[in-house]
Amino acid sequence: MDIKNILSNLTVEEKISLLAGKTAWSLMDIERLNVPEIFVTDGPHGVRWSPGSNFSETKPATSLPIESAMASTFNTELIKEAGKLAAIECHHYDIGVLLGPGVNGKRSPLAGRNFEYYSEDPFLSGKMASAFINGVQGQGIGTCLKHFAVNDQETRRITINAEVDQRALHEIYLAPFKMAIKEANPWSIMSAYNKVNGEHACQSANLLIDILRDEYKYNGVVMSDWGGTIDKSLSHINGLDLEMPGPSGRNVELVNAYKNGKLSIETLDTRVTNVLNLIKKAEDNRRDVSVDWNQHHRIAQEVAAESMVLLKNEENILPFKKGDTLAVIGDFVKELRFQGGGSSKMNPMKLDEILDELSIFTETSYATGYTKGKTSNDLLEEAKNVAKGKDNVVIFIGTTEEIESEGYDRQDMKLPNAHIQLVNAIYEVNKNIVVVINSGSAVETRQIEKSTSAIIQAWLPGEGGGNAIARILFGDVNPSGKLSETFPICLENNPTYGFFPGFKDLTTYNESIFVGYRYYDTKKIKTQYAFGHGLSYTNFEYSNINFSSKEIDCNQKLVVSVDITNTGSVEGKEVVQLYVHDCESYLVRPYKELKSFSKVSLIAGETKTVVMELGKDAFEYFIPHLNRFSVESGDFKVLVGSSSEDIRVEEIIKVHSNDVVAIPMDENDTVLEWLREKETNKIIVKLLKIININEDHPLYAIVLGLPVKRVFAVMKMFGAPEAFINQLEMAVLGDRNSSLMILRKIEEAMIK
Ligand code: BGC
């Protein structure tokens, strides 16, 4: 495809037609110019391809663990492999662009679509998205990073206005998009349904032009979410390239906007060029493949196995010994809870059955225990009978699809009552209980803590989940997943409690940058299971933290190395997490933030040195009054550990920066504030001397709290000559002079 040539031959109507889909899942073709039709499909957890009009009839494909699970692997190489397999399956079905991954924020565990997003931490989300995108696009299939931006709830998702301050917007919600654009350059980005600070995301020039194009230098296609275009011409004028799905009934609006001059030919050509570029990339990479479904299934099992998080393991009940008798309980064992609902719901190629997988290790007896969210005396009695006398019991519980899905938010964070009741009932007859939780996001576990010896957070683990869980339970796989989101003790402890999901069409991000562990950690609120937490069947020791230098300029890289030793008796993998704490900052910052991580595999007794590199972005934060990120000079603590609450080694680094972030002092700042600032201290000391006010003066405290502009009125009140005071006032507040000049002017006024 020669894009320049095509563009010069297209009529305006044809150009406009290219700015919308042809069908629900394809882009417009122009036959006479050999512009082909290319296909797109969901989504982040594998290929969900429904070529017909019935969207629930989907072609079989490998179902991967949900994004929360993928992030919990903390294994970027593995996630890249997952992306690669999804891309190969796209080729198989002639799909050009996979609609994923999603990198929206997880401010509340209640958000119905949390399972489709990686983490509460923007760094982890950005790294995982980059890995997945690189995996997919490395095979010549495009991705669509979604939903840009601040689409963090399902309630009223089409009309809700997310009111978010600039720091939270940039540091938390835009950060993963920014990172993925820099590290993986997705072929396309999907704009969000919602409004951000009053403007629909699909027609916000600030989001789509100022930030995405001008600041992030993004050069791919921006497409709308399905049915998310509000004002078609305004959207295209303000940065949207493609309205989806098609066909659009509104092309005439755009023709009119072109005719009346609102849509310039330059803008139209830019949008069309972006769309043609995407079509060309997909077309150039179109190829026949043969899919090794068994190998893909094994990768899905691998990702599932690395994603499961061993939350607790009292008296090392796990791993079970092969041959120990085992009761297996829960409807989820047969009605597998392996994927999320909505647009990422797939038709798995090959689904592992839990009981089959367990039978490789031991004989099992099964009871249902509940159906969906309900139980009965009969079901409980039957389950107790099965559990009685067995060496161990494993109970599968969690959120049902009725509880969490795309389209609606969860009502609370609790497990279904029936599931809690079941666990506690089994405890009456057998104390060796291991619970496996299937859920897309954090749940409260306090109601089952006393009755359980071990808990595994298994997420919604995709088609290989059954195999993964059996191997973990019997120690064939040593668990190495770490929580990609905090499990608070209860919903009330979450920073959005009381105002998520907002009222009517407004949701306010009152918690600002204090999302997830940034909140619990800074406010010292105890959690049930911390961000980054996850146990292993072995232990790891951290030692010898070393820096490439004790002081750096903020533009230099800092190389951090730490020795990790496997001190247990089995092979295992550890996720080494590096957090940065800013010792002193002009504006408030979270106590610490994840800035690097590395997953290392060690055989028993082995030590490896893990090396991590920190750049400027590890130290910077967003300064609203400068409207950009900045690094402040000073000390930073580098904290390395096994979870956000289990820091093992730390060291201070001095970072130098020339950036000045402080807002210059003005007349509304108080005497005390002028005293505290190095620049203005001398001026105010001099003024206080002139009016004879020192620490012993009865009005000292009052004067300290006055805005500086009021000091002069006070001086007059005390009878100082008016002309003299006016001159002082002019000297101090007149024009913005250096402190030295102001002092000189004060001297002059005094001499006169
Ligand atoms: C979802 C998108 C999805 C699209 C197409 C929308 O409802 O928000 O994530 O890609 O549907 O299925």
Side-chain angles (χ1 to χ4, degrees):
M1 278 172 68
D2 178 346
I3 291 180
K4 265 199 186 140
N5 188 35
I6 294 172
L7 195 68
S8 63
N9 281 298
L10 285 167
T11 64
V12 166
E13 282 72 16
E14 282 171 333
K15 285 180 182 175
I16 285 171
S17 75
L18 280 165
L19 303 191
K22 179 176 181 177
T23 66
W25 307 113
S26 70
L27 272 60
M28 189 58 81
D29 54 351
I30 307 282
E31 235 183 292
R32 76 176 181 91
L33 296 172
N34 292 328
V35 177
E37 180 179 9
I38 65 153
F39 298 88
V40 303
T41 200
D42 285 309
H45 308 140
V47 183
R48 175 202 149 80
W49 181 223
S50 18
S53 53
N54 181 355
F55 291 166
S56 56
E57 263 172 36
T58 48
K59 296 279 179 194
T62 305
S63 153
L64 292 163
I66 55 166
E67 281 194 26
S68 327
M70 288 200 234
S72 295
T73 68
F74 279 75
N75 186 339
T76 48
E77 277 311 305
L78 189 59
I79 299 314
K80 197 170 166 189
E81 279 301 301
K84 191 172 155 187
L85 83 78
I88 290 168
E89 295 179 18
C90 280
H91 280 302
H92 175 74
Y93 287 121
D94 191 25
I95 307 293
V97 179
L98 190 65
L99 302 173
V103 286
N104 291 109
K106 298 195 193 188
R107 48 191 296 258
S108 166
L110 300 187
R113 222 174 166 182
N114 271 359
F115 61 84
E116 264 191 274
Y117 305 132
Y118 291 112
S119 173
E120 69 188 20
D121 181 84
F123 181 86
L124 180 58
S125 294
K127 285 287 169 197
M128 287 296 149
S130 303
F132 189 80
I133 294 168
N134 282 326
V136 175
Q137 295 191 169
Q139 297 303 309
I141 294 292
T143 55
C144 183
L145 187 63
K146 61 194 191 181
H147 309 87
F148 192 74
V150 207
N151 182 178
D152 310 315
Q153 66 182 57
E154 295 305 285
T155 305
R156 301 173 83 106
R157 66 175 171 161
I158 312 273
T159 52
I160 197 86
N161 176 23
E163 202 173 80
V164 56
D165 66 82
Q166 291 301 304
R167 280 194 67 191
L169 181 66
H170 287 273
E171 291 179 30
I172 306 289
Y173 299 102
L174 294 180
F177 287 97
K178 185 179 177 182
M179 189 192 287
I181 289 168
K182 190 167 153 210
E183 297 188 4
N185 199 16
W187 291 8
S188 65
I189 288 180
M190 190 184 291
S191 63
Y193 282 128
N194 50 287
K195 288 181 183 170
V196 181
N197 293 331
E199 278 182 304
H200 275 288
C202 65
Q203 57 193 46
S204 158
N206 178 242
L207 282 176
L208 302 185
I209 297 180
D210 302 347
I211 295 175
L212 203 51
R213 301 292 185 190
D214 295 351
E215 201 186 321
Y216 298 172
K217 309 278 175 255
Y218 180 64
N219 57 14
V221 159
V222 179
M223 67 175 80
S224 72
D225 199 342
W226 266 231
T229 313
I230 309 296
D231 179 333
K232 180 160 168 82
S233 27
L234 190 64
S235 298
H236 290 300
I237 292 167
N238 285 351
L240 187 84
D241 298 306
L242 182 63
E243 177 199 355
M244 285 304 284
S248 174
R250 295 190 275 173
N251 285 352
V252 62
E253 288 173 31
L254 216 49
V255 173
N256 290 340
Y258 174 74
K259 283 188 181 150
N260 66 27
K262 281 194 185 142
L263 173 73
S264 70
I265 187 69
E266 290 76 24
T267 303
L268 179 61
D269 283 354
T270 307
R271 307 277 173 264
V272 174
T273 306
N274 290 343
V275 173
L276 287 173
N277 270 328
L278 180 69
I279 296 175
K280 178 175 162 53
K281 277 194 272 190
E283 179 62 14
D284 288 353
N285 284 289
R286 234 170 190 159
R287 61 180 149 100
D288 284 334
V289 289
S290 69
V291 183
D292 184 342
W293 297 103
N294 287 331
Q295 193 223 358
H296 287 192
H297 185 64
R298 276 193 297 277
I299 296 171
Q301 290 173 333
E302 216 44 54
V303 179
E306 281 217 18
S307 75
M308 293 186 183
V309 184
L310 181 58
L311 295 178
K312 73 172 190 180
N313 191 17
E314 282 166 9
E315 292 165 32
N316 294 331
I317 183 173
L318 288 176
F320 295 143
K321 283 184 226 48
K322 291 179 187 139
D324 275 0
T325 52
L326 183 64
V328 184
I329 296 171
D331 193 30
F332 286 174
V333 174
K334 298 245 165 108
E335 292 299 315
L336 291 172
R337 185 78 173 109
F338 69 99
Q339 65 175 347
S343 58
S344 72
K345 191 167 184 169
M346 298 173 53
N347 175 6
M349 180 54 93
K350 183 177 175 195
L351 197 52
D352 288 341
E353 294 294 338
I354 292 171
L355 290 177
D356 291 350
E357 298 294 332
L358 285 171
S359 71
I360 298 170
F361 300 97
T362 196
E363 245 178 57
T364 57
S365 326
Y366 172 74
T368 311
Y370 60 86
T371 33
K372 295 196 169 164
K374 293 203 168 73
T375 189
S376 63
N377 283 341
D378 288 352
L379 287 173
L380 290 176
E381 280 314 307
E382 185 203 4
K384 277 160 88 171
N385 284 335
V386 167
K388 210 178 289 170
K390 301 290 182 316
D391 292 321
N392 299 298
V393 190
V394 55
I395 311 175
F396 288 75
I397 58 172
T399 55
T400 61
E401 201 176 322
E402 291 69 36
I403 294 176
E404 66 177 328
S405 173
E406 177 181 345
Y408 47 86
D409 293 315
R410 284 160 71 188
Q411 293 306 305
D412 62 42
M413 216 184 105
K414 292 193 178 73
L415 289 158
N417 265 336
H419 298 196
I420 297 169
Q421 221 181 324
L422 171 69
V423 175
N424 295 330
I426 300 291
Y427 187 69
E428 291 166 16
V429 297
N430 194 323
K431 303 283 180 255
N432 295 333
I433 298 179
V434 174
V435 156
V436 175
I437 298 176
N438 286 128
S439 70
S441 191
V443 291
E444 280 185 24
T445 62
R446 60 187 169 145
Q447 298 85 351
I448 55 162
E449 285 293 337
K450 280 204 192 97
S451 314
T452 49
S453 299
I455 302 180
I456 296 171
Q457 174 61 26
W459 307 108
L460 307 174
E463 64 176 46
N467 170 276
I469 195 67
R471 283 159 69 210
I472 285 180
L473 288 173
F474 283 90
D476 224 36
V477 167
N478 189 350
S480 64
K482 300 275 190 171
L483 285 183
S484 49
E485 63 190 80
T486 310
F487 277 41
I489 292 175
C490 54
L491 183 65
E492 290 79 352
N493 284 4
N494 177 265
T496 69
Y497 181 73
F499 47 87
F500 177 95
F503 179 67
K504 295 278 187 189
D505 280 337
L506 180 64
T507 183
T508 312
Y509 286 46
N510 293 327
E511 75 285 1
S512 180
I513 49 176
F514 296 98
V515 176
Y517 73 87
R518 283 167 169 73
Y519 174 77
Y520 304 112
D521 203 29
T522 310
K523 304 251 175 163
K524 301 200 174 2
I525 291 168
K526 215 169 160 295
T527 61
Q528 191 75 52
Y529 296 109
F531 173 83
H533 167 77
L535 302 175
S536 161
Y537 296 152
T538 187
N539 294 307
F540 301 99
E541 215 171 78
Y542 288 59
S543 59
N544 294 333
I545 180 166
N546 267 309
F547 290 166
S548 50
S549 165
K550 288 279 163 215
E551 274 181 44
I552 52 161
D553 176 86
C554 66
N555 293 311
Q556 273 173 292
K557 296 258 181 246
L558 175 70
V559 181
V560 181
S561 65
V562 185
D563 289 348
I564 313 292
T565 305
N566 179 345
T567 56
S569 55
V570 290
E571 186 175 356
K573 291 181 183 171
E574 171 69 327
V575 176
V576 181
Q577 300 159 46
L578 186 156
Y579 298 84
V580 171
H581 161 73
D582 192 346
C583 298
E584 201 189 327
S585 54
Y586 182 63
L587 301 176
V588 63
R589 297 191 69 178
Y591 181 76
K592 64 175 181 291
E593 296 178 291
L594 184 74
K595 295 297 173 183
S596 187
F597 59 84
S598 174
K599 193 162 193 174
V600 57
S601 179
L602 297 162
I603 57 169
E606 191 184 10
T607 300
K608 278 185 187 163
T609 302
V610 168
V611 178
M612 289 172 281
E613 210 179 65
L614 300 182
K616 194 175 184 173
D617 44 10
F619 305 102
E620 68 186 8
Y621 70 111
F622 193 81
I623 310 290
H625 56 269
L626 300 178
N627 192 29
R628 61 173 170 81
F629 280 85
S630 171
V631 180
E632 282 182 87
S633 277
D635 287 349
F636 292 81
K637 207 184 261 178
V638 173
L639 307 134
V640 182
S642 183
S643 91
S644 62
E645 289 182 11
D646 185 7
I647 298 303
R648 307 289 183 85
V649 285
E650 56 182 68
E651 191 65 68
I652 290 201
I653 177 80
K654 200 175 263 311
V655 179
H656 297 283
S657 161
N658 291 329
D659 214 358
V660 180
V661 305
I663 302 172
M665 283 291 160
D666 72 17
E667 59 191 30
N668 280 339
D669 292 316
T670 65
V671 171
L672 183 64
E673 284 159 351
W674 280 56
L675 271 174
R676 278 191 185 143
E677 246 342 273
K678 214 164 105 202
E679 260 296 288
T680 46
N681 171 282
K682 290 183 215 118
I683 301 169
I684 213 76
V685 165
K686 185 118 204 164
L687 275 186
L688 292 179
K689 230 188 210 142
I690 296 172
I691 53 173
N692 253 335
I693 289 193
N694 57 27
E695 280 159 41
D696 301 327
H697 195 285
L699 289 179
Y700 187 65
I702 305 281
V703 171
L704 288 188
L706 289 178
V708 165
K709 65 181 177 194
R710 284 291 194 84
V711 170
F712 305 99
V714 171
M715 290 167 109
K716 283 179 200 162
M717 240 167 60
F718 280 101
E722 194 155 338
F724 170 55
I725 300 302
N726 287 347
Q727 270 173 4
L728 278 187
E729 194 171 351
M730 273 295 292
V732 178
L733 304 179
D735 40 12
R736 290 261 129 234
N737 280 312
S738 71
S739 61
L740 218 65
M741 278 295 283
I742 295 174
L743 284 171
R744 205 167 292 148
K745 285 191 171 176
I746 294 176
E747 301 278 337
E748 277 170 22
M750 287 171 69
I751 292 164
K752 275 190 210 154

